[in-house]
Amino acid sequence: MADDSGLSFSFPAIHRRKVTAAFDGGRLTSDGGVLLLAQAERRLGIAARLAVCIADPRDQSRVVHSLADILRARMLAISCGYEDADDLDTLRHDPGFKLALGKLPDGLVGLASQPTMSRWENAPTTRELARLTGTLVDLYCASYPAPPVAVTLDIDDTVDVVHGMQQLSFWNGHHGERCFLPIHVYDTATGRPVAMLLRTGKTPSGAEVAAHIRRLVRRIRRHWPDTRITLRGDGHYGRPEPMRWCEENGIDYVFGLPGNTTLHADPIITTEADACATDRATGGLVELRRYTETRYAAKSWGDHKRRVAARIEASPLGLDIRFVVTSLTSGSAEYIYDTLYCARGQAENLIKLHKAQLKSDRTSCRSANANQMRIILHTAAYWLMWAVRQAMPANTPLRTAEFTTIRLRLLKLGARVIENASRIRVAFASACPEAALFRTISLNLRAAGP
């Protein structure tokens, strides 16, 4: 098919003057903010870190695009909203993206094409993917200037619906879909991603959860041997195997605990629940909350009783009782449930940034390894967006904005790229609403960079 992008077309006349248009403006980019992402990438060094984990069998004397540049172009494109590799067939000649990868905008050689991107998505072996995942954990630890005294990590899984017979896809009766259930781990207090792992579409077993936690914590302990680590998760993770491993290795936990007849019949729980229901009714209240705690051991736990905090809510609809199990010995039941456990809800927003706004659910490859590689690249793109957001002044409204808002306001900026013998000039629109913030972010990233 012939390229008709240069053909002109018209808009309604204004003041009796004809308005025509064509995509023939020359060296223009619609993603001027990619230069901010490039500064963030240079500061974090993600592409180079990931590239050394993958074997490159090519004859280096004939290589046009280094592996680091190929990965860098892919993560920059994902951050700018081009989640599909075939977008690179056009973007490879975009002057903004070429500048972001250190190439002259008028140079004859563009960036790597879609087939090259796809080949490298399918290239890493299982062992290399493990190294890549560990490198992202190392990046998380390196993002702190000094080892923190304590961190709380949220672990959760999310449904990733598939549309074929990809490896690891599985029918999940709860979601009613054939899907993956990848595990996400975040440092929710700061919004940092820690680790993402593609896995089959069934609920993880206790042994599987314990194995994932063991590998993650051991990697973190290489950097932070004395940091106090607390794990938070829903009822999928409140299994005896992960709790036992955490207790044996000095890791605190707060996990959701599904209710059962034994817990609901516990004398402490029933006494507090009856009092809560009575006080609500006699006081004429719409709803009333109380908190209490007990010691409990399920059959699968053996004889070891653990601390269980309960939130009891009485309303006209009846009693609603929720439980969490924890290794923490300090803090009231109200603090454990309301302040500590309920804060894990923020992890759902971080998963939304990763999955919905950076499109990490585009796991359509046949190979499970290729899909895991895509999740790694999308996590790298998350780091770039996070770094740009962190470079904003603390009182800026966009400092707490979602990635789609940041992309719209700071990345999707039209710019003309002017190249001459002595310099390259990027001319943004004079009426850009975020011009001052854009300049500040650029200066902050440059000052903090290598």
Side-chain angles (χ1 to χ4, degrees), residues 158-166 168-182 199-203 355:
T158 181
V159 63
D160 181 356
V161 178
V162 303
H163 302 284
M165 299 295 291
Q166 293 98 317
L168 295 186
S169 64
F170 197 83
W171 175 263
N172 187 292
H174 174 75
H175 296 288
E177 298 280 2
R178 193 173 184 89
C179 62
F180 302 124
L181 281 183
R199 53 175 305 282
T200 189
K202 65 181 182 67
T203 302
K355 185 175 79 169

Side-chain angles (χ1 to χ4, degrees), residues 314-337:
S315 72
L317 299 177
L319 285 170
D320 179 41
I321 307 177
R322 304 294 177 91
F323 304 94
V324 297
V325 57
T326 181
S327 63
L328 299 172
T329 57
S330 61
S332 65
E334 180 177 359
Y335 169 79
I336 293 295
Y337 189 91

Side-chain angles (χ1 to χ4, degrees), residues 179-228:
C179 62
F180 302 124
L181 281 183
I183 286 179
H184 289 236
V185 183
Y186 294 93
D187 181 345
T188 304
T190 63
R192 290 173 166 91
V194 182
M196 281 74 198
L197 180 68
L198 186 76
R199 53 175 305 282
T200 189
K202 65 181 182 67
T203 302
S205 66
E208 181 186 353
V209 171
H212 293 325
I213 290 174
R214 181 180 68 250
R215 289 188 288 268
L216 174 62
V217 171
R218 286 180 177 175
R219 190 82 183 199
I220 294 175
R221 284 291 186 222
R222 294 183 186 181
H223 305 272
W224 301 341
D226 301 318
T227 297
R228 182 180 177 182

